[in-house]
């Protein structure tokens, strides 16, 4: 007799065992298209009208490297800078808990900024030392901005080529549209709320692209596998079956990832705030876009069984080859 009595509900659809009752995902794709078009349009309007709140990495500013005689209280340093009307300063350690880097906006920096910082923080640590003061001009910031844009565009193009070669061009087009959707929504959120954007945001965007692509490839691979295994079922049913089969994996991956990112968002501090927020928005919409953008666009572009299964060459035709 078994030590554990397990009750498992088995769901079948046309003889195919599924982990859940078949979910007709593709029935709602038209409503998803409308929602996504409206959402991305609003995001684009917001981006072009409000713009972005660029951080010091893009606008330039002043970097002051300090050394405390004891472990630094970063939150207290931030509060003192705010009390002295220095907004937008980034305060973070540099390896050692006593070495602190203070990054100031261009408007707050001048030749005597090191002395000012030392005077402000004398109550925190009377033995504070200013190790260096460096000025980063707007030309460097512009170069970083262009590099970030070029890196993102190059990544999207290479991903399109990879998916088109690995699977099929219709799936590649769907994946790229889904990635563009996720990136646009994330940019729109940051533009609407005017959240400061720095280089960690760029890293988050590329992470979102990789996460969303990985999710799409899992679904694409299952669709291709089911096209080869299951006969006499149309493309819509194959896609619904594939999405239902991968639903458990998608939910578990998304939920566990979101828990981790939520911990970073609430407890990681202001240094990685933009990074964690971009991941939250991107991963949430990345799961949605895999189902209702990537594979749905491929379906409406005419994806069929013969596109996913290699054509067998006739034996006589092979014999006639030179």
């Amino acid at each position: 007799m078994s030590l554990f009595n397990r009750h498992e509900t088995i769901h079948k659809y046309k003889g195919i065992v599924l982990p859940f009752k078949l979910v007709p995902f593709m029935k709602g794709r038209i409503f998803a298209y409308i929602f996504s078009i409206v959402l991305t349009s609003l995001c684009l309007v917001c981006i072009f009208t409000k713009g972005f709140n660029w951080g010091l990495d893009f606008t330039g500013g002043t970097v002051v490297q300090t050394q405390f005689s004891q472990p630094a209280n970063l939150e207290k340093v931030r509060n003192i800078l705010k009390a002295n009307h220095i907004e937008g300063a980034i305060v973070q350690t540099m390896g050692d808990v006593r070495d602190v880097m203070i990054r100031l906006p261009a408007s707050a920096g001048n030749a005597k900024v090191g002395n000012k910082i030392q005077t402000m923080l004398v109550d925190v640590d009377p033995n504070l030392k200013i190790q260096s003061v460096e000025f980063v001009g707007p030309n460097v910031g512009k170069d970083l901005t262009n590099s970030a844009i070029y890196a993102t565009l190059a990544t999207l193009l290479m991903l399109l080529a990879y998916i088109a070669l690995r699977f099929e061009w219709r799936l590649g087009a769907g994946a790229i549209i889904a990635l563009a959707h996720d990136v646009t929504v994330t940019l729109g959120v940051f533009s609407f709320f005017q959240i400061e954007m720095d280089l960690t945001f760029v890293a988050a965007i590329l992470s979102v692209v990789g996460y969303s692509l990985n999710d799409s490839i899992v679904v694409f691979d299952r669709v291709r596998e089911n096209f080869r295994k299951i006969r006499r079922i149309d493309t819509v049913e194959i896609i619904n079956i594939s999405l239902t089969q991968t639903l458990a994996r998608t939910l578990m991956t998304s939920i566990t990832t979101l828990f981790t990112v939520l911990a970073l968002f609430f407890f990681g501090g202001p240094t990685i705030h933009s990074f964690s927020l971009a991941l939250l928005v991107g991963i949430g919409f990345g799961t949605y876009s895999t189902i209702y953008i990537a594979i749905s666009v491929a379906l409406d572009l005419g994806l069929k069984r013969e596109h996913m299964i290699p054509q067998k060459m006739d034996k006589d035709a092979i014999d006639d080859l030179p």
Side-chain angles (χ1 to χ4, degrees):
M1 183 177 179
S2 175
L3 295 175
F4 301 98
N5 292 322
R6 297 180 59 194
H7 175 70
E8 296 183 355
T9 302
I10 298 176
H11 301 279
K12 288 189 176 182
Y13 179 77
K14 296 187 177 181
I16 303 166
V17 179
L18 300 173
F20 304 100
K21 186 178 179 181
L22 183 70
V23 182
F25 288 102
M26 292 299 99
K27 279 188 177 180
R29 70 183 187 277
I30 301 301
F31 299 102
Y33 286 161
I34 295 172
F35 168 75
S36 293
I37 290 172
V38 172
L39 179 62
T40 52
S41 298
L42 291 174
C43 289
L44 290 173
V45 169
C46 191
I47 290 169
F48 287 113
T49 55
K50 298 186 69 172
F52 297 109
N53 179 16
W54 297 108
L56 298 181
D57 291 322
F58 299 102
T59 61
T62 306
V63 177
V64 181
Q65 295 186 7
T66 64
Q67 186 178 55
F68 287 74
S69 61
Q70 56 190 354
N73 187 334
L74 300 185
E75 193 59 35
K76 192 172 182 179
V77 173
R78 295 187 186 104
N79 292 335
I80 290 175
L81 293 175
K82 287 182 180 179
N84 285 272
H85 309 291
I86 298 180
E87 301 291 338
I90 298 175
V91 181
Q92 60 190 80
T93 56
M94 301 184 300
D96 192 278
V97 292
R98 295 184 303 167
D99 295 330
V100 176
M101 180 175 64
I102 302 174
R103 301 162 70 185
L104 306 171
S107 59
N110 54 49
K112 299 180 180 180
V113 67
N115 294 331
K116 288 184 178 181
I117 293 295
Q118 192 168 24
T119 303
M120 291 177 194
L121 301 180
V122 67
D123 292 335
V124 179
D125 188 348
N127 299 316
L128 173 70
K129 295 180 180 179
I130 303 297
Q131 294 183 314
S132 66
V133 178
E134 298 177 359
F135 298 94
V136 181
N139 290 333
V140 176
K142 185 176 180 181
D143 291 340
L144 288 173
T145 304
N146 292 334
S147 297
I149 294 172
Y150 295 150
T152 304
L153 292 176
T155 301
L156 291 176
L157 290 174
M158 287 188 288
L159 291 176
L160 172 61
Y162 167 76
I163 299 175
L165 292 173
R166 172 77 185 274
F167 293 98
E168 211 271 339
W169 72 266
R170 294 170 181 83
L171 292 174
I176 293 302
I177 292 173
L179 294 179
H181 171 274
D182 300 339
V183 171
T184 302
V185 172
T186 306
L187 291 173
V189 170
F190 272 69
S191 175
F192 180 78
F193 292 104
Q194 287 295 289
I195 301 169
E196 186 177 280
M197 297 171 63
D198 52 24
L199 285 181
T200 62
F201 173 82
V202 178
I205 288 293
L206 295 178
S207 299
V208 167
V209 168
Y211 182 92
S212 181
L213 178 66
N214 177 69
D215 211 18
S216 298
I217 287 178
V218 170
V219 174
F220 294 166
D221 200 49
R222 183 56 61 93
V223 169
R224 180 172 59 181
E225 180 184 341
N226 285 335
F227 268 131
R228 295 174 178 178
K229 290 169 56 178
I230 305 171
R231 304 289 178 177
R232 295 183 295 277
I233 294 182
D234 62 23
T235 302
V236 172
E237 289 181 302
I238 289 289
I239 291 175
N240 284 331
I241 290 171
S242 302
L243 289 171
T244 303
Q245 288 175 331
T246 57
L247 183 60
R249 178 261 175 204
T250 299
L251 290 176
M252 289 301 296
T253 303
S254 299
I255 291 172
T256 52
T257 305
L258 285 175
F259 278 146
T260 305
V261 177
L262 281 171
L264 291 175
F265 180 77
F266 287 110
F267 306 112
T271 305
I272 60 171
H273 184 266
S274 61
F275 174 80
S276 53
L277 180 60
L279 284 180
L280 276 176
V281 177
I283 289 174
F285 278 95
T287 303
Y288 156 82
S289 66
T290 295
I291 298 173
Y292 285 113
I293 303 295
I295 194 66
S296 298
V297 167
L299 172 64
D300 289 320
L301 286 176
L303 182 68
K304 296 180 181 178
R305 183 188 304 274
E306 52 265 30
H307 299 145
M308 302 292 287
I309 300 177
Q311 298 296 319
K312 293 184 178 180
M313 188 174 289
D314 185 71
K315 185 177 182 299
D316 294 335
I318 295 176
D319 294 335
D320 292 338
L321 289 175

